[in-house]
Amino acid sequence: RGYPAGRTDVIATRIYEEAFVSLRLGRAAAMALILFLVLVVVSLLQQRYFSRRITYDMS
């Protein structure tokens, strides 16, 4: 439950509680979509950053 006072709540747990405990499916779907978009952006940024730094020189 993210004690103390909800400060350590994890987003995946929050999405689960919104969907299946509070039965707010629309809000949970929106939260999941935002989480997905954030993860895609972070993954793309990591991919661009590390693709410049890694070289495979076989000679």
Side-chain angles (χ1 to χ4, degrees):
R1 299 225 96 185
Y3 294 103
R7 292 180 191 263
T8 60
D9 201 5
V10 180
I11 188 68
T13 305
R14 187 75 181 140
I15 292 170
Y16 175 84
E17 287 181 3
E18 286 291 326
F20 300 112
V21 176
S22 300
L23 296 176
R24 293 184 241 178
L25 299 178
R27 185 174 177 155
M31 291 168 66
L33 183 61
I34 291 170
L35 176 62
F36 173 74
L37 292 175
V38 167
L39 291 175
V40 166
V41 168
V42 168
S43 295
L44 290 174
L45 289 174
Q46 279 184 333
Q47 205 171 27
R48 290 189 75 184
Y49 177 73
F50 287 114
S51 69
R52 287 188 244 148
R53 298 186 67 191
I54 298 175
T55 58
Y56 299 102
D57 189 16
M58 301 296 276
S59 55

